[in-house]
Amino acid sequence: MILILKKNASEKQVEDLVNWLHESFNVQTNLVNGTHQSILGLIGDTSKIDIDRIRTRDEVEDVKRVQEPYKNTNRKFHPDDTVIEVMGRHIGGGKLNVIAGPCSVESEEQLITTAKAVKKAGATMLRGGAFKPRTSPYSFQGLGAEGIKLLIEAKQETGLPIVTEIMSLAHIDLFADVDIIQVGARNMQNFELLKELGHSKKPILLKRGLANTIEELLMSAEYISAGGNQNIILCERGIRTFETATRNTLDISAVPILKTVSHLPVAVDPSHATGIASLIEPMSLAAVAAGTDALEIEVHCNPKNAKSDGAQSLTPEQFDSVMTKIKAMAEFIGRPLEA
Ligand code: PEP
Ligand code: MN
């Protein structure tokens, strides 16, 4: 349920209203002072609340029931876009961010070479997996803590913020200097992990599960936001369908849908969505045209020898060429690349 407050309601009146709601209905409240109006969201069991009782309050302009099960992440609760600041870059504020780098961190040389190349081409953030969720236990599992150390070194070398995936709560302390914590598709419904990340202040890049609906993605984001962390980026990375020509099927329509129903910024990962390097350019351009706030693209200094996902990784030269087109599309759509 949301309460649209009267423009002239004083701070004291709003405080009294909040106390009255807590005492009368045993609900949590979330006040958002937006550019056009202030909204008080009610979270909890609102099914038995008599709307007319709330309407009688002087501070209240209007009351609406919210049908969707996601509340904090719902645009009805928070009409303005959420903008997440990471080392001076803004995700969600009308600029495009490009997060690029290798699937896995493999060595100092591989990571630093790739990091410098993606920075030169205009990437605004560096990605690299230290803990890797692999389908086979016999495949390369990532360098773990050593991989995170190398990412921090690459951040110092390039000035790029770093994005890397967490797979277990046991590793959370290793992420102190990571700028954005990624929750991978396979962990989208690891609710204990999501709850713990709700207590963190770090931005979370939450990837859509392989077989999850848009509403389930938003409910997973709700787990994080319910703990107090509103810095969430929703990432479309392809879903599993009957199609086998691509690794997954990129659900481009998820971008405008998410941006309509939620205030959270949206990212698209064309690499895991398609699994094919030659499709990164067209899918990136489609994602930017659809209104994405960020792209996450795999780039490797030597894809043929990559320890994971070489077939979908761009060479630095290919990435440079794709970035030229991404920049042009970003300008055209009015969401220019973040500096
Ligand atoms: C990744 O980004 O490295 C990754 C494993 O992605 P996803 O969780 O989307 O498969
Ligand atoms: Mn990968």
Side-chain angles (χ1 to χ4, degrees), residues 2-6 37-39 59-64:
I2 58 168
L3 279 54
I4 298 154
L5 303 182
K6 284 198 181 137
Q37 52 194 189
S38 294
I39 286 178
E59 313 84 350
V60 178
E61 172 96 40
D62 199 5
V63 186
K64 288 186 186 149

Side-chain angles (χ1 to χ4, degrees), residues 103 127 132-133 165 182 184-186 207 237 269 272 296 298:
C103 177
R127 66 149 285 146
K132 294 304 304 176
E165 177 168 350
Q182 177 168 313
R186 292 153 191 84
K207 297 188 108 181
R237 48 76 72 208
D269 170 352
H272 293 89
E296 187 179 40
E298 286 188 341

Side-chain angles (χ1 to χ4, degrees), residues 102-104 127 132 247 269 271-272 298 308-309 312-313:
C103 177
S104 303
R127 66 149 285 146
K132 294 304 304 176
R247 183 175 177 181
D269 170 352
S271 305
H272 293 89
E298 286 188 341
S308 60
D309 288 349
Q312 67 194 36
S313 300

Side-chain angles (χ1 to χ4, degrees), residues 18 25 96 120 134 144 176 186 264 312:
V18 166
F25 307 112
L96 177 73
K120 193 154 166 266
R134 305 305 302 280
R186 292 153 191 84
L264 295 175
Q312 67 194 36

Side-chain angles (χ1 to χ4, degrees), residues 77-97:
F77 272 55
H78 189 296
D80 293 340
D81 284 350
T82 284
V83 182
I84 300 174
E85 211 228 287
V86 182
M87 286 174 65
R89 284 117 178 130
H90 298 88
I91 308 182
K95 291 279 179 76
L96 177 73
N97 276 270

